[in-house]
Amino acid sequence: MQLQFLILIVLAVTATIFSIVTSIAMVVRKALELGRSRAHARLYQIYSSQVAEFLLIELPALENQPRASDAFRQYESLLSPVKQRLEQMNPSRRRFHRSVLRSVLIDMTQDLTGESAGRLVYFFYSLGFVEEEIQLLQSGRWWIRAQAARHSGLMRARKSITALTAALEDNHPDVRHQAMQALIVLVGVDALSTILRLSRNISQWTAIELSVIVAGFKEEAVPHLIGALESRDQSVVLFAIEMLAEVGFVTAVDPLMNLIRTSRDVKIQACAASALGRLGDERAKTLLTGLLSNRWAPIRLKSLEALGKTGGPDVVKLLTPYLETADAQEKLTAARALATTGVKGLKVLQEYEKRHMDEKADLVRQVLEEFGLEPTHG
Amino acid sequence: MPQKILVAEDQQHIRSLIEYKLKNSGYTVISAEDGRSALEKAGEILPDLILLDVMMPLMTGFEVLAALKSNEKTRTIPILMVTAQSKEDEVLKGLELGADDYITKPFSPNELAARVKTVLLRRKINR
Amino acid sequence: MDRSLVETALEFLTNGYLLFVVIYFIGVSLTYTILLVIAVREILNQLRHDKFCNFRLTVQSELTPPVSILAPAFNEGPTIIQSVRSLLKLSYGKYETVVINDGSKDDTLATLIEHFKMFRSRHVYHPAIRTKNVRAIYKSKLPEYRNLVVVDKENGGKADALNVGINVARYEYVCCIDADSILEDDALQKVMKAFLEDEKVVAVGGIVRIANGCEVVNGRVVKVGLSDHFVPVFQVVEYFRAFLSGRMSWQALNGLLIISGAFGLFKKKAIIEVGGYKHDSVGEDMELIVRLHRIYREKNERYRVTFVPDPVCWTEAPETLRVLGRQRNRWHRGLLDTMLIHRKMLFNPRYGIIGMAAMPYFVLVELLGPVFEFFGYVAMAVMLATGTLNEQLALLFFIVALFYGVMFSVGAVLLEEMSFQRYPKPGDLALLLSFGVLENFGYRQLTAWWRVKAFWDYFRGKKSWGKMERKGFSRPSK
């Protein structure tokens, strides 16, 4: 008994002491980190002002028809003192300085346009950062690869296009997404087709990130999105439909109507119906009217909503009978759709409300209130 | 006498760019790193123009804008807002609150200098 | 020496029991170490992944799903306006704020109506979940508050209030919070990410941090710090244990049993499907999650319950031992209640890792742990009184108890340091670590006693919440 206890006690005491030592180590490390981040901030400030000067300083005007190499020579002359200083440092100091310099350059590239932005790209190449990132795209660790892809895009380094295209098929989703975004920046909207073609299982999150970029391209993105409607991947199709509705170009109407007719996927049909509504095109009305009697509730509801958005007097007549339905969800959607069509629809709602003093018109009163109209009683 | 410009911007790299460009264009530049110090400095030095970033810690640009407009001393100082590109509603809100003009990020420093010049000129004419 | 049979039996029992407790502590420490390692790996992975997520995009995109925030309020008179105003200022696309006045006896409702210029709305109330009576629904006349809805109802408790909120909520996702939770500006963006990245997710919890000692300006925490009082500081370390090591590890194993009532996001459809919050349970937040697990597993549907440590909700922690004691009493009764209600799942392979690992862990470690420990002290007292104290065993007991407490705390603080480092000053870190050690010399024993007492209270039929004091929220800096 004696010995076993002793062993256990010793173990427990050692373990406790170990924990305490770990704690002290944590505190010390934190204090050191604090010092290091202050040093980082100071160096950042120095490089920040230096780079600002390099980017904004007026360079002597070049002769007519200057060659690119003339401009580059000017930029190089700005950089040479910095490069020399870096050469003279010992390796670890050089690494620190280069990483701060790189973060300054990357931060600036996100907020600058104009001629200075062109100089920035040159700086990235000349200081060897572009080559470094291309190398890092081969790293064994996914977060290094992902960051390299991200940086390559930010650096506007066309040299990395090949490596980035390869990264589109990387194992790790984050690497793929960063490569996607970088390629869109570097190649422009034409990269969309390739990207949508290679994408599988786009999560809603990725869709959101892509959507902001794609929305920036507006009509130029439309042909690529229409192409993506034929994808076999449901998430890609849904994404394309949403984007077409958002970008809102009339050439999307026919392909979307076609999609509803040919697809057997309920989700896709409902989404396309909703998109047609947002596009507000008259041509879709017949198709949407047909969908009102579809056996799937989501499709019926989306069509009601969509018809409301397309508007027109015939729509008002079409939707009015739906106010009599017993299904609360349908009634609410129909009422909202009527209100969306405009003055005529609102009038219908008001008349309905006057006619029915009891709870039957409660939902209609709710909708009238939502659209800013005072109900007469209830 | 060179005109005084107060730059309220929390990000170092943007501050450096703006400072250099404006100094080079002949203005005197004072910087503030957050909303509170921007308000203090504005009250102290009464600059000829304030460049105000919308997204700042502690106090947002809009809160600073409102505070500047409600203080007698600083009410008449022209204000140029700096906003992120896709935020149209930010721009409208700022103009409603009394900003004179705005510039979106990413920006061109040349354009910034031009806008500053215009706003200052407009003020001089209206005096 | 002649000893009676009773004395011998007593000595045997107390010694045996103490030995059992020692072995129990060692077992728990081992389990905890495993959980800690899992938590470390998970957090690092998530952190790396988060660096590549541009959260601001969710604010700009049309594709971002809208959210309904549900804030049940009971007698929140002095602080309700400030809380609601800060909820209205969150950085997110489309969202609505639904405040449910659970039959407050003070001027909560009147204050809201007056300040936000509200009128009785014609919004039709659909009880998808059965609840107590709803008296009225209010909306604001002012366009800048058009996303605010206030519901006035008969008093029915937090669970019932949340169910009402769910019935009124317009959007697909509901965020259930406490009326005095301070959500960080980007909390909604970050917590929604969990849903957007994986369609199977039905519930997500975020981390709750302690606001005492932080500088709060305009309903926003601008500077993080530690309180002057010692009671909240102990709780900071406890919360690290519970959230960073506890929930992080269990969610990696798909066995997360609890999402804090102060900050949780759910798919509305999922809650309605399982019948809403249980209105007569003490720990309604945990009970709902366990029920979600149960029903989804019984239906054999794929689902996930997840925890994201990044989005933060700040909350006011009790500053006195008395209020803290009441809170812990209630929590433990809630835990006991939930485990009893769903005892069918315990050790039942039908419920996968929930039944075979998560629930047994909760019962043996969280629920019964304090009981075992408490009776360890009782046994020692008995041994002392009868003069049969086995010094070595007693020493071992104390040291193992100390070690297991210190290790838990230091491990949890380590996790915080590896990940979010919300407390920037090395001095604060040192303070937290020392409290983590000091905690074992009295504070932990006190919480153990409260939790043992909770069993007694529960079986005596005490099911209420008890009185919680309300203190205003804006804390001046020090």
Side-chain angles (χ1 to χ4, degrees), chain A residues 5 12 15 23 30 143 146-147 174 178 204-205 209 211 242 267 366 369 375, chain C residues 48-49 52 54 58 61 63 121-122 124 196 199 392 399 403 417 423-424 433:
Chain A
F5 270 154
S23 319
K30 194 177 183 86
W143 57 94
Q147 186 168 72
D174 280 324
Q178 294 302 317
Q204 267 185 290
W205 179 262
E209 294 194 324
S211 75
E242 282 283 347
K267 218 168 165 188
Q366 176 184 332
E369 179 190 286
Chain C
R48 285 183 191 130
H49 172 64
F52 298 107
N54 187 343
T58 53
S61 171
L63 296 179
S121 160
R122 302 188 167 277
V124 177
L196 297 174
E199 265 194 351
Q392 281 180 340
I399 293 194
F403 166 65
E417 271 306 291
Y423 294 90
L433 288 167

mmCIF file of all heavy atoms in Angstrom, chain A residues 5 12 15 23 30 143 146-147 174 178 204-205 209 211 242 267 366 369 375, chain C residues 48-49 52 54 58 61 63 121-122 124 196 199 392 399 403 417 423-424 433:
data_model
loop_
_atom_site.group_PDB
_atom_site.id
_atom_site.type_symbol
_atom_site.label_atom_id
_atom_site.label_comp_id
_atom_site.label_asym_id
_atom_site.label_seq_id
_atom_site.Cartn_x
_atom_site.Cartn_y
_atom_site.Cartn_z
ATOM 1 N N PHE A 5 0.936 4.379 -2.971
ATOM 2 C CA PHE A 5 0.458 5.715 -2.625
ATOM 3 C C PHE A 5 1.516 6.751 -2.906
ATOM 4 O O PHE A 5 1.266 7.804 -3.471
ATOM 5 C CB PHE A 5 0.108 5.778 -1.137
ATOM 6 C CG PHE A 5 -1.318 5.413 -0.871
ATOM 7 C CD1 PHE A 5 -1.702 4.895 0.354
ATOM 8 C CD2 PHE A 5 -2.286 5.589 -1.842
ATOM 9 C CE1 PHE A 5 -3.010 4.556 0.607
ATOM 10 C CE2 PHE A 5 -3.596 5.243 -1.597
ATOM 11 C CZ PHE A 5 -3.960 4.728 -0.360
ATOM 12 N N ALA A 12 1.156 13.052 -8.876
ATOM 13 C CA ALA A 12 0.207 14.156 -8.810
ATOM 14 C C ALA A 12 0.928 15.472 -8.564
ATOM 15 O O ALA A 12 0.623 16.489 -9.192
ATOM 16 C CB ALA A 12 -0.826 13.900 -7.732
ATOM 17 N N ALA A 15 2.696 16.572 -11.670
ATOM 18 C CA ALA A 15 1.749 17.086 -12.650
ATOM 19 C C ALA A 15 1.295 18.486 -12.283
ATOM 20 O O ALA A 15 1.189 19.356 -13.141
ATOM 21 C CB ALA A 15 0.559 16.144 -12.751
ATOM 22 N N SER A 23 1.844 27.563 -16.884
ATOM 23 C CA SER A 23 1.185 28.859 -16.739
ATOM 24 C C SER A 23 2.188 29.990 -16.816
ATOM 25 O O SER A 23 1.985 30.974 -17.511
ATOM 26 C CB SER A 23 0.470 28.960 -15.393
ATOM 27 O OG SER A 23 -0.160 27.774 -15.089
ATOM 28 N N LYS A 30 3.359 35.644 -23.543
ATOM 29 C CA LYS A 30 2.447 36.720 -23.899
ATOM 30 C C LYS A 30 3.141 38.073 -23.829
ATOM 31 O O LYS A 30 2.972 38.919 -24.694
ATOM 32 C CB LYS A 30 1.247 36.715 -22.963
ATOM 33 C CG LYS A 30 0.115 37.572 -23.472
ATOM 34 C CD LYS A 30 -1.057 37.443 -22.535
ATOM 35 C CE LYS A 30 -2.239 38.214 -23.041
ATOM 36 N NZ LYS A 30 -3.055 37.454 -23.978
ATOM 37 N N TRP A 143 -3.291 25.596 -45.215
ATOM 38 C CA TRP A 143 -3.504 27.002 -44.938
ATOM 39 C C TRP A 143 -2.425 27.880 -45.568
ATOM 40 O O TRP A 143 -2.658 29.033 -45.872
ATOM 41 C CB TRP A 143 -3.646 27.255 -43.432
ATOM 42 C CG TRP A 143 -2.519 26.804 -42.575
ATOM 43 C CD1 TRP A 143 -1.452 27.540 -42.142
ATOM 44 C CD2 TRP A 143 -2.322 25.494 -42.029
ATOM 45 N NE1 TRP A 143 -0.626 26.787 -41.375
ATOM 46 C CE2 TRP A 143 -1.143 25.530 -41.280
ATOM 47 C CE3 TRP A 143 -3.042 24.292 -42.099
ATOM 48 C CZ2 TRP A 143 -0.649 24.413 -40.602
ATOM 49 C CZ3 TRP A 143 -2.559 23.189 -41.429
ATOM 50 C CH2 TRP A 143 -1.369 23.253 -40.694
ATOM 51 N N ALA A 146 -3.578 28.111 -49.224
ATOM 52 C CA ALA A 146 -4.727 29.006 -49.352
ATOM 53 C C ALA A 146 -4.271 30.454 -49.264
ATOM 54 O O ALA A 146 -4.708 31.307 -50.039
ATOM 55 C CB ALA A 146 -5.763 28.699 -48.281
ATOM 56 N N GLN A 147 -3.385 30.730 -48.340
ATOM 57 C CA GLN A 147 -2.933 32.105 -48.225
ATOM 58 C C GLN A 147 -2.124 32.518 -49.450
ATOM 59 O O GLN A 147 -2.222 33.655 -49.923
ATOM 60 C CB GLN A 147 -2.097 32.295 -46.969
ATOM 61 C CG GLN A 147 -1.753 33.752 -46.767
ATOM 62 C CD GLN A 147 -1.193 34.002 -45.395
ATOM 63 O OE1 GLN A 147 -0.070 33.624 -45.117
ATOM 64 N NE2 GLN A 147 -1.976 34.633 -44.554
ATOM 65 N N ASP A 174 -10.908 25.364 -48.925
ATOM 66 C CA ASP A 174 -10.468 26.753 -48.773
ATOM 67 C C ASP A 174 -9.454 27.132 -49.832
ATOM 68 O O ASP A 174 -9.451 28.262 -50.328
ATOM 69 C CB ASP A 174 -9.861 26.975 -47.388
ATOM 70 C CG ASP A 174 -10.933 27.155 -46.328
ATOM 71 O OD1 ASP A 174 -11.974 27.758 -46.649
ATOM 72 O OD2 ASP A 174 -10.740 26.683 -45.199
ATOM 73 N N GLN A 178 -10.019 30.218 -52.570
ATOM 74 C CA GLN A 178 -9.093 31.328 -52.722
ATOM 75 C C GLN A 178 -8.573 31.384 -54.147
ATOM 76 O O GLN A 178 -8.413 32.469 -54.714
ATOM 77 C CB GLN A 178 -7.925 31.206 -51.739
ATOM 78 C CG GLN A 178 -8.337 31.343 -50.285
ATOM 79 C CD GLN A 178 -9.034 32.654 -50.012
ATOM 80 O OE1 GLN A 178 -8.620 33.711 -50.487
ATOM 81 N NE2 GLN A 178 -10.109 32.598 -49.257
ATOM 82 N N GLN A 204 -23.505 27.424 -49.279
ATOM 83 C CA GLN A 204 -24.110 28.749 -49.348
ATOM 84 C C GLN A 204 -23.084 29.827 -49.046
ATOM 85 O O GLN A 204 -23.148 30.934 -49.556
ATOM 86 C CB GLN A 204 -25.250 28.859 -48.332
ATOM 87 C CG GLN A 204 -26.589 28.520 -48.914
ATOM 88 C CD GLN A 204 -27.686 28.763 -47.902
ATOM 89 O OE1 GLN A 204 -27.808 28.047 -46.926
ATOM 90 N NE2 GLN A 204 -28.474 29.778 -48.132
ATOM 91 N N TRP A 205 -22.138 29.488 -48.189
ATOM 92 C CA TRP A 205 -21.125 30.456 -47.812
ATOM 93 C C TRP A 205 -20.291 30.847 -49.018
ATOM 94 O O TRP A 205 -20.069 32.025 -49.293
ATOM 95 C CB TRP A 205 -20.248 29.873 -46.713
ATOM 96 C CG TRP A 205 -19.187 30.800 -46.300
ATOM 97 C CD1 TRP A 205 -17.886 30.820 -46.702
ATOM 98 C CD2 TRP A 205 -19.338 31.916 -45.427
ATOM 99 N NE1 TRP A 205 -17.225 31.864 -46.123
ATOM 100 C CE2 TRP A 205 -18.086 32.545 -45.336
ATOM 101 C CE3 TRP A 205 -20.418 32.441 -44.711
ATOM 102 C CZ2 TRP A 205 -17.888 33.671 -44.550
ATOM 103 C CZ3 TRP A 205 -20.201 33.563 -43.924
ATOM 104 C CH2 TRP A 205 -18.943 34.156 -43.859
ATOM 105 N N GLU A 209 -19.761 34.518 -51.090
ATOM 106 C CA GLU A 209 -18.505 35.184 -51.452
ATOM 107 C C GLU A 209 -18.426 35.401 -52.953
ATOM 108 O O GLU A 209 -18.097 36.490 -53.418
ATOM 109 C CB GLU A 209 -17.317 34.342 -50.979
ATOM 110 C CG GLU A 209 -17.222 34.256 -49.467
ATOM 111 C CD GLU A 209 -15.884 33.722 -49.006
ATOM 112 O OE1 GLU A 209 -15.331 32.834 -49.679
ATOM 113 O OE2 GLU A 209 -15.395 34.210 -47.980
ATOM 114 N N SER A 211 -20.903 35.575 -54.982
ATOM 115 C CA SER A 211 -21.959 36.451 -55.470
ATOM 116 C C SER A 211 -21.539 37.907 -55.449
ATOM 117 O O SER A 211 -21.884 38.665 -56.343
ATOM 118 C CB SER A 211 -23.238 36.270 -54.643
ATOM 119 O OG SER A 211 -23.106 36.896 -53.388
ATOM 120 N N GLU A 242 -29.759 32.354 -58.907
ATOM 121 C CA GLU A 242 -29.791 33.494 -57.992
ATOM 122 C C GLU A 242 -29.050 34.690 -58.579
ATOM 123 O O GLU A 242 -29.513 35.818 -58.501
ATOM 124 C CB GLU A 242 -29.132 33.125 -56.667
ATOM 125 C CG GLU A 242 -29.970 32.292 -55.741
ATOM 126 C CD GLU A 242 -31.043 33.106 -55.032
ATOM 127 O OE1 GLU A 242 -30.993 34.355 -55.073
ATOM 128 O OE2 GLU A 242 -31.927 32.468 -54.451
ATOM 129 N N LYS A 267 -36.548 22.016 -56.105
ATOM 130 C CA LYS A 267 -35.859 23.185 -55.571
ATOM 131 C C LYS A 267 -35.446 24.120 -56.702
ATOM 132 O O LYS A 267 -35.587 25.336 -56.610
ATOM 133 C CB LYS A 267 -34.611 22.706 -54.822
ATOM 134 C CG LYS A 267 -34.313 23.482 -53.575
ATOM 135 C CD LYS A 267 -33.262 22.785 -52.737
ATOM 136 C CE LYS A 267 -32.711 23.757 -51.697
ATOM 137 N NZ LYS A 267 -31.573 23.254 -50.973
ATOM 138 N N GLN A 366 -53.235 42.486 -41.928
ATOM 139 C CA GLN A 366 -51.802 42.465 -41.602
ATOM 140 C C GLN A 366 -51.004 42.946 -42.798
ATOM 141 O O GLN A 366 -50.097 43.773 -42.664
ATOM 142 C CB GLN A 366 -51.378 41.049 -41.211
ATOM 143 C CG GLN A 366 -49.888 40.932 -40.965
ATOM 144 C CD GLN A 366 -49.464 39.493 -40.681
ATOM 145 O OE1 GLN A 366 -50.236 38.692 -40.166
ATOM 146 N NE2 GLN A 366 -48.236 39.170 -41.027
ATOM 147 N N GLU A 369 -51.258 46.620 -43.418
ATOM 148 C CA GLU A 369 -50.410 47.364 -42.486
ATOM 149 C C GLU A 369 -48.960 47.312 -42.911
ATOM 150 O O GLU A 369 -48.241 48.303 -42.855
ATOM 151 C CB GLU A 369 -50.572 46.784 -41.085
ATOM 152 C CG GLU A 369 -49.713 47.489 -40.049
ATOM 153 C CD GLU A 369 -49.732 46.733 -38.737
ATOM 154 O OE1 GLU A 369 -50.766 46.811 -38.059
ATOM 155 O OE2 GLU A 369 -48.745 46.075 -38.419
ATOM 156 N N PRO A 375 -55.849 49.909 -42.133
ATOM 157 C CA PRO A 375 -57.076 49.128 -42.340
ATOM 158 C C PRO A 375 -58.261 49.923 -41.807
ATOM 159 O O PRO A 375 -58.106 50.732 -40.893
ATOM 160 C CB PRO A 375 -56.868 47.870 -41.513
ATOM 161 C CG PRO A 375 -55.524 47.973 -40.915
ATOM 162 C CD PRO A 375 -54.979 49.326 -41.129
ATOM 163 N N ARG C 48 -7.629 28.776 -38.419
ATOM 164 C CA ARG C 48 -6.985 28.857 -39.723
ATOM 165 C C ARG C 48 -8.028 29.076 -40.798
ATOM 166 O O ARG C 48 -7.857 29.876 -41.702
ATOM 167 C CB ARG C 48 -6.212 27.582 -40.013
ATOM 168 C CG ARG C 48 -4.946 27.489 -39.235
ATOM 169 C CD ARG C 48 -4.186 26.250 -39.606
ATOM 170 N NE ARG C 48 -3.113 26.048 -38.677
ATOM 171 C CZ ARG C 48 -2.870 24.914 -38.047
ATOM 172 N NH1 ARG C 48 -3.644 23.865 -38.269
ATOM 173 N NH2 ARG C 48 -1.868 24.815 -37.198
ATOM 174 N N HIS C 49 -9.119 28.333 -40.690
ATOM 175 C CA HIS C 49 -10.172 28.434 -41.686
ATOM 176 C C HIS C 49 -10.804 29.827 -41.676
ATOM 177 O O HIS C 49 -11.090 30.399 -42.723
ATOM 178 C CB HIS C 49 -11.226 27.371 -41.398
ATOM 179 C CG HIS C 49 -12.443 27.478 -42.229
ATOM 180 N ND1 HIS C 49 -12.419 27.320 -43.588
ATOM 181 C CD2 HIS C 49 -13.709 27.762 -41.925
ATOM 182 C CE1 HIS C 49 -13.624 27.478 -44.068
ATOM 183 N NE2 HIS C 49 -14.434 27.756 -43.079
ATOM 184 N N PHE C 52 -9.703 32.828 -43.782
ATOM 185 C CA PHE C 52 -10.044 32.949 -45.193
ATOM 186 C C PHE C 52 -11.503 33.287 -45.424
ATOM 187 O O PHE C 52 -11.971 33.266 -46.545
ATOM 188 C CB PHE C 52 -9.680 31.651 -45.925
ATOM 189 C CG PHE C 52 -8.216 31.378 -45.868
ATOM 190 C CD1 PHE C 52 -7.720 30.368 -45.067
ATOM 191 C CD2 PHE C 52 -7.331 32.154 -46.572
ATOM 192 C CE1 PHE C 52 -6.362 30.135 -44.984
ATOM 193 C CE2 PHE C 52 -5.966 31.932 -46.500
ATOM 194 C CZ PHE C 52 -5.485 30.914 -45.704
ATOM 195 N N ASN C 54 -14.325 35.988 -45.448
ATOM 196 C CA ASN C 54 -14.559 37.417 -45.419
ATOM 197 C C ASN C 54 -15.975 37.644 -44.900
ATOM 198 O O ASN C 54 -16.948 37.578 -45.642
ATOM 199 C CB ASN C 54 -14.399 37.987 -46.826
ATOM 200 C CG ASN C 54 -14.467 39.495 -46.812
ATOM 201 O OD1 ASN C 54 -14.936 40.094 -45.855
ATOM 202 N ND2 ASN C 54 -13.997 40.104 -47.876
ATOM 203 N N THR C 58 -21.099 38.841 -45.977
ATOM 204 C CA THR C 58 -22.451 38.407 -45.654
ATOM 205 C C THR C 58 -23.360 39.616 -45.487
ATOM 206 O O THR C 58 -24.557 39.527 -45.674
ATOM 207 C CB THR C 58 -22.514 37.609 -44.345
ATOM 208 O OG1 THR C 58 -21.887 38.379 -43.326
ATOM 209 C CG2 THR C 58 -21.833 36.282 -44.462
ATOM 210 N N SER C 61 -24.263 40.772 -49.299
ATOM 211 C CA SER C 61 -24.846 39.914 -50.320
ATOM 212 C C SER C 61 -26.345 39.728 -50.163
ATOM 213 O O SER C 61 -26.882 39.668 -49.068
ATOM 214 C CB SER C 61 -24.168 38.549 -50.275
ATOM 215 O OG SER C 61 -24.864 37.653 -51.102
ATOM 216 N N LEU C 63 -27.757 37.051 -50.996
ATOM 217 C CA LEU C 63 -27.993 35.643 -50.717
ATOM 218 C C LEU C 63 -27.975 35.313 -49.231
ATOM 219 O O LEU C 63 -28.279 34.213 -48.833
ATOM 220 C CB LEU C 63 -26.918 34.787 -51.415
ATOM 221 C CG LEU C 63 -26.889 34.830 -52.922
ATOM 222 C CD1 LEU C 63 -25.765 33.955 -53.433
ATOM 223 C CD2 LEU C 63 -28.195 34.341 -53.487
ATOM 224 N N SER C 121 -50.056 46.353 -33.651
ATOM 225 C CA SER C 121 -50.032 45.913 -35.032
ATOM 226 C C SER C 121 -51.124 44.886 -35.305
ATOM 227 O O SER C 121 -51.649 44.244 -34.411
ATOM 228 C CB SER C 121 -48.668 45.294 -35.338
ATOM 229 O OG SER C 121 -48.740 44.483 -36.465
ATOM 230 N N ARG C 122 -51.445 44.748 -36.600
ATOM 231 C CA ARG C 122 -52.432 43.760 -36.988
ATOM 232 C C ARG C 122 -51.800 42.446 -37.388
ATOM 233 O O ARG C 122 -52.427 41.612 -38.019
ATOM 234 C CB ARG C 122 -53.235 44.293 -38.168
ATOM 235 C CG ARG C 122 -53.846 45.562 -37.742
ATOM 236 C CD ARG C 122 -54.806 46.089 -38.738
ATOM 237 N NE ARG C 122 -55.542 47.122 -38.074
ATOM 238 C CZ ARG C 122 -56.580 46.876 -37.304
ATOM 239 N NH1 ARG C 122 -56.996 45.648 -37.139
ATOM 240 N NH2 ARG C 122 -57.192 47.860 -36.691
ATOM 241 N N VAL C 124 -50.977 38.904 -37.543
ATOM 242 C CA VAL C 124 -51.776 37.776 -37.058
ATOM 243 C C VAL C 124 -50.872 36.770 -36.358
ATOM 244 O O VAL C 124 -49.840 36.375 -36.892
ATOM 245 C CB VAL C 124 -52.489 37.089 -38.241
ATOM 246 C CG1 VAL C 124 -53.266 35.884 -37.756
ATOM 247 C CG2 VAL C 124 -53.389 38.075 -38.935
ATOM 248 N N LEU C 196 -24.334 28.277 -43.087
ATOM 249 C CA LEU C 196 -24.113 28.430 -44.516
ATOM 250 C C LEU C 196 -23.081 27.462 -45.048
ATOM 251 O O LEU C 196 -23.047 27.176 -46.229
ATOM 252 C CB LEU C 196 -23.681 29.871 -44.809
ATOM 253 C CG LEU C 196 -24.743 30.902 -44.461
ATOM 254 C CD1 LEU C 196 -24.197 32.298 -44.626
ATOM 255 C CD2 LEU C 196 -25.954 30.716 -45.347
ATOM 256 N N GLU C 199 -25.314 22.468 -44.733
ATOM 257 C CA GLU C 199 -26.773 22.507 -44.719
ATOM 258 C C GLU C 199 -27.399 21.686 -43.617
ATOM 259 O O GLU C 199 -28.531 21.903 -43.248
ATOM 260 C CB GLU C 199 -27.287 21.939 -46.040
ATOM 261 C CG GLU C 199 -27.557 22.987 -47.046
ATOM 262 C CD GLU C 199 -28.372 22.432 -48.197
ATOM 263 O OE1 GLU C 199 -28.557 21.206 -48.253
ATOM 264 O OE2 GLU C 199 -28.811 23.244 -49.000
ATOM 265 N N GLN C 392 -2.018 9.063 4.424
ATOM 266 C CA GLN C 392 -1.571 8.998 3.037
ATOM 267 C C GLN C 392 -2.737 9.150 2.078
ATOM 268 O O GLN C 392 -2.653 9.864 1.090
ATOM 269 C CB GLN C 392 -0.869 7.678 2.772
ATOM 270 C CG GLN C 392 0.539 7.706 3.290
ATOM 271 C CD GLN C 392 1.214 6.397 3.019
ATOM 272 O OE1 GLN C 392 0.555 5.388 2.800
ATOM 273 N NE2 GLN C 392 2.522 6.414 3.037
ATOM 274 N N ILE C 399 -4.251 16.117 -2.949
ATOM 275 C CA ILE C 399 -3.370 16.474 -4.061
ATOM 276 C C ILE C 399 -4.018 16.162 -5.399
ATOM 277 O O ILE C 399 -3.963 16.972 -6.334
ATOM 278 C CB ILE C 399 -2.014 15.772 -3.924
ATOM 279 C CG1 ILE C 399 -1.314 16.355 -2.710
ATOM 280 C CG2 ILE C 399 -1.197 15.973 -5.178
ATOM 281 C CD1 ILE C 399 0.117 16.023 -2.615
ATOM 282 N N PHE C 403 -4.775 18.816 -8.207
ATOM 283 C CA PHE C 403 -4.237 18.677 -9.553
ATOM 284 C C PHE C 403 -5.334 18.731 -10.609
ATOM 285 O O PHE C 403 -5.231 19.420 -11.614
ATOM 286 C CB PHE C 403 -3.451 17.372 -9.692
ATOM 287 C CG PHE C 403 -3.171 17.048 -11.125
ATOM 288 C CD1 PHE C 403 -2.362 17.871 -11.879
ATOM 289 C CD2 PHE C 403 -3.741 15.953 -11.737
ATOM 290 C CE1 PHE C 403 -2.120 17.615 -13.210
ATOM 291 C CE2 PHE C 403 -3.499 15.680 -13.065
ATOM 292 C CZ PHE C 403 -2.690 16.510 -13.805
ATOM 293 N N GLU C 417 -5.531 31.340 -24.804
ATOM 294 C CA GLU C 417 -4.311 31.986 -25.257
ATOM 295 C C GLU C 417 -3.894 31.545 -26.649
ATOM 296 O O GLU C 417 -3.315 32.299 -27.410
ATOM 297 C CB GLU C 417 -3.163 31.707 -24.278
ATOM 298 C CG GLU C 417 -3.087 32.725 -23.178
ATOM 299 C CD GLU C 417 -3.019 34.132 -23.704
ATOM 300 O OE1 GLU C 417 -1.991 34.485 -24.297
ATOM 301 O OE2 GLU C 417 -4.002 34.883 -23.548
ATOM 302 N N TYR C 423 -7.883 38.863 -23.773
ATOM 303 C CA TYR C 423 -7.362 39.653 -22.667
ATOM 304 C C TYR C 423 -5.928 40.024 -22.999
ATOM 305 O O TYR C 423 -5.013 39.250 -22.780
ATOM 306 C CB TYR C 423 -7.446 38.863 -21.364
ATOM 307 C CG TYR C 423 -8.869 38.612 -20.943
ATOM 308 C CD1 TYR C 423 -9.546 37.472 -21.353
ATOM 309 C CD2 TYR C 423 -9.564 39.546 -20.185
ATOM 310 C CE1 TYR C 423 -10.855 37.256 -21.009
ATOM 311 C CE2 TYR C 423 -10.881 39.336 -19.833
ATOM 312 C CZ TYR C 423 -11.529 38.196 -20.245
ATOM 313 O OH TYR C 423 -12.835 37.999 -19.903
ATOM 314 N N PRO C 424 -5.719 41.229 -23.519
ATOM 315 C CA PRO C 424 -4.415 41.551 -24.087
ATOM 316 C C PRO C 424 -3.290 41.734 -23.074
ATOM 317 O O PRO C 424 -2.139 41.581 -23.428
ATOM 318 C CB PRO C 424 -4.677 42.871 -24.822
ATOM 319 C CG PRO C 424 -5.880 43.448 -24.198
ATOM 320 C CD PRO C 424 -6.691 42.331 -23.672
ATOM 321 N N LEU C 433 -4.652 32.914 -14.401
ATOM 322 C CA LEU C 433 -4.009 31.654 -14.067
ATOM 323 C C LEU C 433 -3.955 31.452 -12.558
ATOM 324 O O LEU C 433 -4.210 30.345 -12.059
ATOM 325 C CB LEU C 433 -2.599 31.616 -14.666
ATOM 326 C CG LEU C 433 -2.598 31.441 -16.178
ATOM 327 C CD1 LEU C 433 -1.227 31.713 -16.750
ATOM 328 C CD2 LEU C 433 -3.050 30.040 -16.542
#
